[in-house]
Amino acid sequence: MTLSHERTVATRLALEAGELLRTHLERGLTVEHKTSADDPVTAADREASELILAGLRAAFAEDGLLSEEAADTSARLGQERVWIVDPIDGTKEFTSGSPDYAVSIGLAVGGEPVLGVVYAPATDELFVGVVGEGVTKNGTPAGFSHRTAYVVSVSDTEFKRELHRHDLPGMVPSGSIALKLARIAAGEADVTFTMSPRSEWDIAAGHALVRAAGGEMRRRDGRAIRYNVARPHLEQGIIGGRPEAMDWLEGELRARNLPTAHLSLTSADPAWAVLPPEDQAALDGHPTVFVRHAGGRVLALLVVGPDGNVERASGDAFHLERLTRDVTRALGREPAKVGG
């Protein structure tokens, strides 16, 4: 597969979007929020999305398009190739003055990420990769590190709220997941994981970069990540990076019983086994079962009815709050209080 034209177009659009974002910062931002204060959006997000999608549409009219900041349609599902875009991965950082945000443009073919461009406008760092062709940073070939004391890039939000309590070695918190994955592909870190779910646009470009460097990314339960699915939100956290670092990290996570969420849980999912037998019988076939678990046991459980009311909420208060936050972002609204 030769993707030289695709790489050129995606790189140009990422740089143009980055310049647009810098212009918005100079003018000043008006910040809105989607589901919570942790989920901001700005006019810059929307304009950068429009710029990128217009450029991709002009260059690749037959390809599908998916962006966090554009209305989704089922038309992309019939396409072999789909561009997956996050115009600002790390909007919270963008609005707060942190440099830790990025433009993320990925291309998936047959559900697999094959090309990624991640551009950090604040630091003028451009990461480009094609599976089978390697990775460059600012035009210079880059790749995985050879360090044996692994650098674990983690979410600054998850670190502040939870991970700081654990003795996992090598943790370095930061914002944008796309930029985390790009830095891993360039050898500046080695591995990452999340406890909360992510969406396709958060990770597609970064996943392609990691694959281009010779690594991989998967769901926390070990299953593969597929792109261009009907609902483009992973139901659980992810782990990715250098293969040997991933193997080490999975052992460390198991040893510490670090939690993960699984949203829209079904009996086909490995996490179903953490539910007690009576819950497995009662909840089988229910479309909106959400669980946070670790070490083979349930830490928090939410069951939401078709009317948006919480039918059941149980578990430790801390983990229930974390799970509710994940569910709110997945549903686009906070579940209503437990019904009578």
Side-chain angles (χ1 to χ4, degrees):
M1 183 182 298
T2 300
L3 297 173
S4 59
H5 180 49
E6 287 85 347
R7 177 171 49 202
T8 298
V9 171
T11 298
R12 172 178 59 80
L13 292 172
L15 293 172
E16 289 178 2
E19 181 58 33
L20 184 151
L21 299 185
R22 286 191 289 261
T23 299
H24 271 273
L25 285 174
E26 292 169 2
R27 293 175 182 168
L29 300 172
T30 299
V31 182
E32 306 166 28
H33 295 91
K34 298 177 184 176
T35 60
S36 71
D38 286 333
D39 194 13
V41 66
T42 70
D45 293 78
R46 300 185 185 101
E47 290 181 23
S49 178
E50 291 167 3
L51 182 156
I52 294 167
L53 295 183
L56 292 173
R57 195 175 292 115
F60 310 107
E62 301 303 314
D63 291 354
L65 299 173
L66 174 64
S67 170
E68 179 177 16
E69 305 303 339
D72 190 16
T73 73
S74 61
R76 64 179 171 81
L77 298 176
Q79 305 298 98
E80 176 73 3
R81 297 176 16 138
V82 60
W83 292 91
I84 304 173
V85 174
D86 194 342
I88 310 178
D89 184 59
T91 301
K92 185 170 69 171
E93 286 73 22
F94 175 68
T95 60
S96 67
S98 166
D100 197 9
Y101 65 91
V103 179
S104 176
I105 304 175
L107 174 63
V109 178
E112 297 282 349
V114 297
L115 179 151
V117 176
V118 173
Y119 179 55
T123 52
D124 196 27
E125 294 174 279
L126 176 67
F127 303 84
V128 181
V130 175
V131 175
E133 299 181 18
V135 175
T136 62
K137 178 181 178 182
N138 291 343
T140 300
F144 287 148
S145 81
H146 299 288
R147 65 176 69 86
T148 54
Y150 299 124
V151 175
V152 183
S153 188
V154 299
S155 160
D156 53 1
T157 299
E158 292 183 351
F159 184 82
K160 290 172 186 174
R161 294 186 176 179
E162 187 167 1
L163 286 175
H164 71 276
R165 304 177 181 182
H166 298 273
D167 63 348
L168 181 67
M171 286 192 291
V172 177
S174 61
S176 163
I177 183 71
L179 198 49
K180 286 183 182 68
L181 294 166
R183 295 196 188 285
I184 289 169
E188 298 167 24
D190 300 290
V191 67
T192 188
F193 77 100
T194 71
M195 291 182 287
S196 295
R198 295 294 185 267
S199 298
E200 289 189 19
W201 46 74
D202 299 320
I203 60 174
H207 190 174
L209 288 170
V210 169
R211 290 187 70 213
E216 192 46 89
M217 187 161 69
R218 53 183 175 259
R219 297 166 180 260
R220 283 280 300 274
D221 66 10
R223 290 185 294 176
I225 298 169
R226 300 291 295 177
Y227 292 88
N228 194 30
V229 299
R231 188 174 181 278
H233 308 283
L234 277 72
E235 297 86 4
Q236 58 188 275
I238 57 94
I239 183 169
R242 292 169 53 189
E244 64 274 23
M246 289 175 64
D247 292 342
W248 166 84
L249 179 58
E250 287 182 321
E252 296 292 323
L253 298 179
R254 283 193 300 270
R256 290 165 174 78
N257 286 332
L258 280 172
T260 187
H262 194 120
L263 310 184
S264 301
L265 185 67
T266 74
S267 58
D269 297 314
W272 187 258
V274 307
L275 297 177
E278 60 272 21
D279 284 341
Q280 293 184 26
L283 297 174
D284 193 9
H286 197 296
T288 43
V289 176
F290 308 98
V291 66
R292 198 169 206 249
H293 65 96
R297 66 185 184 93
V298 175
L299 302 173
L301 175 70
L302 274 175
V303 181
V304 179
D307 58 0
N309 286 332
V310 177
E311 297 177 351
R312 179 175 168 188
S314 61
D316 172 86
F318 173 81
H319 293 292
L320 192 57
E321 184 277 331
R322 299 298 298 141
L323 180 60
T324 300
R325 178 179 179 273
D326 290 339
V327 171
T328 297
R329 296 196 73 164
L331 297 180
R333 65 185 189 281
E334 185 173 359
K337 293 182 179 179
V338 177

